Amino acid sequence: YGNMKTPLAEFYLNNKRDNKYSYGVQYRFLQTNSELNKTFADFTMHNAKGYLASYSTNGEFGLEASYKQNKFNYYGYKDTSKIAEKNLGRTISNFEAKAYFNSVSDKSNKVKHRTAFKFYNYQIGGAIENDYALSSKIYSKVSDFNDLENGVLSATVGFDYTTFQYLNQKSFNRIFLTLDPRFDFKYDVLNVSAGLNTTVYFNGSDTARPFINPFIKVTYPLIENVATIYGGIDGRYNKQSLKSIIQTNQFVSNYNLTNTYENIKLFAGITAKVGSSADAVFEINYSDVTNMPLYISNHDTFNSFTIINDQANILKFTAAFNYSFSEVARIGFTGNFYNYDFKTQPQPWQLPTIDGKINMKFNIKNKVYPHFDVMAMSLQKQRTGVSETNYSTNTINAFYDISAGIDFRFRPKLSLFVQANNIMSSRYQRWYNYPVYGFNAIGGLTFIF
């Protein structure tokens, strides 16, 4: 129960540990009904999942199915139109199913595979997307020859068929075929992975369009068991989907399914480890991306968003650090720094140049578990209007968000939790015209039986 009439319920039922079977069901419900501040958008969320897996000497076979529903609102309209008010609500529903088989064998040179079939039905408003995907990773060890050791030859093969329909318009169907061969081996002290990322795209009217990118990653132990440097080249043709759009920005009302092509990605970095207590990663990469999506505001009464695409060059630097004080405390930090260069757009609309996260977890005598999280993002430039000659811009201020929580475990099967979010009660905006909730807290009991 929270401070805005926020009922939350989670239920998990599964079998005990078994060498032959694993099965269970899960359900989660969360709802807000804010009468304290009418600017909050009420929402309801349902999340149900069931799974079954069996294990044998031949491998693992599993089935999974889940259903998620999320009801929420646009953040208001700019007039008193009752018609507009009735159209504020949105409902996302997502059904997913998966069947998979992972082969195992005691023979090291035998060919193995991990194969899965996935399906989802994703709907929001009048937009419906169905996706059927079959993929298999086939791999086998190869004998050492000359100075090449620990060789593994593999290939990931995939077939993806996607249908999209909006209202009563004609269905838009696409096929993606992928083939990613790889050869992983060790040469002297170098660990090398080399191959290709291959995608063949069909959209139902044009001829097949192949996209082939080389993939190479080389790892070198700078200081044995302490520091490792790595670098390489990557790139891939990526599918844009209704599901990925809404998961990025759920207030989009125009669905632009233009696929993105990462023409090339160059990366280099270093990893460091000090005993079992500390580790760090530093990486710099450069990407050349065709049709990168940018989210801009529409001129409408719902504050909705649309997508424009542009050619982009992105330079990114990442730093991450983790430190553990035995089992008593763990601290982690991740920071990203971006530099964008777009072909036609003067600004990286709604994209930060800096973002970062800090998390801290503590264990007090295996009874009390406090935790803290800080998330920060730099200022962003925002654009309203789809016309390239007539649009307005705004600046979204930089922000940070502090959350804290604590779990009290009275007994192994009984605990109390309290979670407080946005402790500074900053109504910052991740998306323009969509201020987040201010301070909010939720708490409850957990039973295991």
Side-chain angles (χ1 to χ4, degrees):
Y1 201 82
N3 63 335
M4 282 187 267
K5 293 185 178 180
T6 313
L8 165 68
E10 297 187 47
F11 177 76
Y12 304 87
L13 179 64
N14 56 270
N15 68 316
K16 294 182 179 180
R17 182 173 297 180
D18 191 290
N19 292 328
K20 294 183 178 181
Y21 299 100
S22 175
Y23 53 86
V25 293
Q26 303 173 3
Y27 177 71
R28 188 174 192 268
F29 172 79
L30 176 64
Q31 184 181 64
T32 66
N33 183 18
S34 172
E35 296 179 356
L36 302 177
N37 190 328
K38 293 297 183 181
T39 63
F40 292 144
D42 297 345
F43 67 86
T44 302
M45 183 183 298
H46 298 271
N47 188 344
K49 179 181 178 180
Y51 61 91
L52 167 67
S54 65
Y55 314 97
S56 68
T57 56
N58 294 321
E60 175 187 357
F61 173 75
L63 298 171
E64 297 178 5
S66 65
Y67 178 76
K68 299 179 182 179
Q69 185 186 73
N70 185 11
K71 294 183 178 181
F72 61 99
N73 296 332
Y74 285 116
Y75 268 26
Y77 47 94
K78 300 175 183 178
D79 55 39
T80 58
S81 168
K82 294 298 180 182
I83 296 177
E85 183 178 2
K86 292 180 180 179
N87 287 278
L88 285 177
R90 310 196 85 190
T91 300
I92 300 172
S93 62
N94 180 28
F95 172 77
E96 296 187 15
K98 176 183 177 181
Y100 65 91
F101 181 77
N102 300 327
S103 66
V104 295
S105 175
D106 294 333
K107 298 180 180 180
S108 61
N109 60 347
K110 186 175 180 179
V111 176
K112 305 174 186 178
H113 70 93
R114 295 198 296 266
T115 303
F117 173 77
K118 299 178 182 180
F119 166 79
Y120 72 75
N121 172 271
Y122 196 89
Q123 299 185 39
I124 180 169
I128 302 174
E129 182 175 73
N130 292 295
D131 184 79
Y132 310 82
L134 178 65
S135 64
S136 181
K137 181 176 180 179
I138 306 168
Y139 58 100
S140 177
K141 291 185 177 180
V142 297
S143 302
D144 296 343
F145 59 94
N146 294 332
D147 294 328
L148 301 184
E149 302 175 338
N150 302 332
V152 176
L153 190 62
S154 65
T156 300
V157 183
F159 171 86
D160 189 313
Y161 175 65
T162 303
T163 69
F164 171 81
Q165 187 171 23
Y166 184 62
L167 299 175
N168 295 321
Q169 299 176 11
K170 184 179 178 181
S171 177
F172 176 43
N173 304 327
R174 295 174 295 166
I175 295 176
F176 299 82
L177 302 178
T178 57
L179 174 61
D180 299 344
R182 290 284 189 276
F183 182 42
D184 299 271
F185 60 91
K186 182 178 181 180
Y187 178 76
D188 195 10
V189 295
L190 296 178
N191 287 296
V192 181
S193 179
L196 299 173
N197 294 332
T198 305
T199 301
V200 181
Y201 171 57
F202 304 82
N203 68 1
S205 57
D206 297 337
T207 57
R209 299 176 59 193
F211 298 87
I212 302 174
N213 292 82
F215 172 84
I216 300 174
K217 182 177 181 180
V218 180
T219 303
Y220 175 78
L222 193 63
I223 303 176
E224 191 70 28
N225 298 322
V226 175
T228 301
I229 59 174
Y230 64 90
I233 184 172
D234 200 355
R236 180 177 291 280
Y237 188 75
N238 296 302
K239 178 182 73 175
Q240 179 66 293
S241 66
L242 173 68
K243 182 179 180 181
S244 62
I245 289 172
I246 298 300
Q247 287 180 337
T248 302
N249 184 339
Q250 60 187 5
F251 306 107
V252 171
S253 59
N254 302 91
Y255 310 116
N256 182 349
L257 300 183
T258 302
N259 299 318
T260 300
Y261 185 26
E262 190 175 49
N263 303 287
I264 190 172
K265 178 181 178 180
L266 304 173
F267 61 92
I270 182 171
T271 63
K273 188 173 184 179
V274 181
S276 60
S277 299
D279 61 82
V281 177
F282 302 92
E283 180 179 304
I284 186 170
N285 66 62
Y286 168 83
S287 300
D288 179 27
V289 183
T290 299
N291 292 326
M292 181 173 175
L294 293 170
Y295 295 84
I296 64 174
S297 297
N298 283 314
H299 273 304
D300 61 17
T301 58
F302 301 123
N303 296 326
S304 69
F305 286 81
T306 191
I307 301 174
I308 59 175
N309 298 91
D310 197 10
Q311 182 79 25
N313 295 318
I314 307 168
L315 184 64
K316 177 183 177 183
F317 175 74
T318 298
F321 177 78
N322 297 286
Y323 189 81
S324 298
F325 300 88
S326 184
E327 294 296 324
V328 177
R330 297 180 180 180
I331 300 174
F333 163 79
T334 301
N336 297 299
F337 306 84
Y338 309 87
N339 182 71
Y340 301 95
D341 182 16
F342 287 89
K343 183 177 181 180
T344 63
Q345 300 302 313
Q347 296 289 343
W349 309 120
Q350 290 269 202
L351 292 175
T353 54
I354 302 174
D355 62 48
K357 295 180 181 180
I358 299 174
N359 60 79
M360 295 177 283
K361 297 180 180 180
F362 302 92
N363 179 349
I364 303 175
K365 296 183 178 181
N366 294 324
K367 293 289 185 180
V368 183
Y369 297 84
H371 54 89
F372 302 88
D373 296 276
V374 181
M375 183 266 290
M377 194 170 288
S378 66
L379 63 82
Q380 304 163 64
K381 293 295 184 179
Q382 183 274 337
R383 165 181 162 177
T384 300
V386 297
S387 172
E388 292 297 338
T389 57
N390 183 22
Y391 60 82
S392 60
T393 63
N394 299 87
T395 298
I396 300 177
N397 293 329
F399 64 84
Y400 62 92
D401 187 321
I402 303 175
S403 299
I406 189 168
D407 293 344
F408 299 92
R409 297 186 183 177
F410 306 110
R411 296 180 180 178
K413 295 185 178 183
L414 175 63
S415 62
L416 167 71
F417 70 89
V418 178
Q419 173 71 33
N421 302 301
N422 198 359
I423 293 176
M424 304 304 294
S425 198
S426 172
R427 297 297 303 278
Y428 63 86
Q429 301 178 61
R430 174 59 189 94
W431 298 108
Y432 183 64
N433 277 330
Y434 285 87
V436 302
Y437 289 105
F439 172 79
N440 61 94
I442 194 167
L445 291 170
T446 300
F447 302 92
I448 300 176
F449 55 89

